[in-house]
Amino acid sequence: MAGVSGPGTPWRLHAVVPRSRANGPGVRYVAWSQGCALACPGCFNPETHTAAGAHLVRTAGEVADEVLADAASLEGVTLTGGEPLEQPAAVAAFCAELRAHSDLSVIVLTGFTRPEIESDPARSAAVADADLVIAGRYNTRLRLARGLRGSSNKEYWMRTGRYTPDDLAAVPELEITVAADATLTFTGMAAPGGEF
């Protein structure tokens, strides 16, 4: 919807995990955006690339309300994808809601480089309330799968002093959760067996 901004901005999501330790320091709410035109070769989330088709559509405010309702149990939020900065209005509105109503941290994982973000007003606005942006295309030849970086070329853009590289190095590389219905969820920088 063109022209929609603020908490009512629609946000195409692939999935959310209300609690994770493998997507940043502490216990984090994680949201995967749906859609990524960058489509880096070797991406470990190719199912998030298409922007079309059936997926979860919520408003930025609805997702923020869900996070804020559990804020006492969380360190922060991690936004990944897909490509969160292909929906910059939703990301900006969501982050603004969190910043206005909590002290939760925000980490954004993106394939866009820092210069690409800084040169685009919408992308810049989307990360304005982020504590950390991990920026750059995934490069399979530079595979790292540690410290929230899939490849070593990805840059830590520390926007506040909230986290250090040591904090990120301590993040588990893989997390496996079992839901009440026995559904397994794998998340983090590495898949079982050490592969993406």
Side-chain angles (χ1 to χ4, degrees):
M1 290 176 132
V4 176
S5 62
T9 304
W11 193 1
R12 291 182 323 276
L13 296 172
H14 177 75
V16 299
V17 171
R19 298 227 172 119
S20 172
R21 290 188 175 275
N23 288 278
V27 177
R28 308 188 73 78
Y29 182 100
V30 186
W32 285 266
S33 291
Q34 183 68 39
C36 180
L38 299 176
C40 300
C43 175
F44 56 95
N45 282 332
E47 66 279 5
T48 65
H49 291 181
T50 181
H55 45 264
L56 183 61
V57 178
R58 298 174 66 192
T59 68
E62 288 169 341
V63 181
D65 288 346
E66 182 174 295
V67 172
L68 292 168
D70 197 29
S73 302
L74 299 171
E75 160 73 17
V77 175
T78 298
L79 306 181
T80 185
E83 178 48 66
L85 298 187
E86 286 186 2
Q87 298 181 73
V91 170
F94 171 78
C95 292
E97 285 294 299
L98 289 189
R99 195 59 74 213
H101 302 289
S102 76
D103 189 36
L104 294 172
S105 67
V106 176
I107 296 175
V108 177
L109 281 67
T110 177
F112 288 105
T113 63
R114 182 175 175 173
E116 288 172 325
I117 296 167
E118 291 179 319
S119 67
D120 182 278
R123 288 186 205 126
S124 290
V127 301
D129 288 314
D131 294 286
L132 168 66
V133 178
I134 300 176
R137 309 284 193 282
Y138 172 69
N139 184 326
T140 192
R141 290 176 291 121
L142 301 174
R143 182 179 182 270
L144 182 63
R146 292 194 298 277
L148 297 183
R149 296 188 304 158
S151 55
S152 60
N153 61 299
K154 294 181 76 65
E155 172 188 3
Y156 290 141
W157 180 11
M158 306 290 187
R159 298 187 47 82
T160 68
R162 189 144 182 176
Y163 298 119
T164 68
D166 288 342
D167 296 324
L168 303 173
V171 173
E173 296 169 17
L174 174 65
E175 178 177 62
I176 303 168
T177 55
V178 182
D181 67 357
T183 301
L184 294 176
T185 301
F186 299 87
T187 187
M189 289 287 116
E195 297 296 321
F196 279 111

